[in-house]
Amino acid sequence: MSVSLSAAVAAAVEGHLRHQATLEYLAAYEQEHGAFTAEEKQEAAGIWARAEELEGQSRGVG
């Protein structure tokens, strides 16, 4: 299956904008509630890794 260039660019831009929005949200959250602890960051990293693993499995990757 081939992906058009415009679809690839649109997906990249969407990913970038989602990443920027997430960074802004997390910065605002930390400003209001205080910085995340090392344990919270480690837990979030584990959750994120598991989500990526499941997404890859649903796509038939890995």
Side-chain angles (χ1 to χ4, degrees):
M1 177 171 107
S2 68
V3 176
S4 71
L5 178 59
S6 61
V9 170
V13 169
E14 179 183 357
H16 174 75
L17 293 174
R18 184 178 298 117
H19 178 73
Q20 289 302 116
T22 300
L23 291 177
E24 291 171 15
Y25 171 80
L26 292 174
Y29 183 93
E30 285 188 307
Q31 186 173 7
E32 183 175 340
H33 300 282
F36 292 105
T37 65
E39 293 81 18
E40 290 170 325
K41 290 178 182 180
Q42 185 175 7
E43 182 180 358
I47 291 168
W48 189 264
R50 179 68 179 141
E52 287 185 329
E53 179 184 322
L54 291 172
E55 182 180 8
Q57 289 174 1
S58 71
R59 290 184 184 169
V61 178

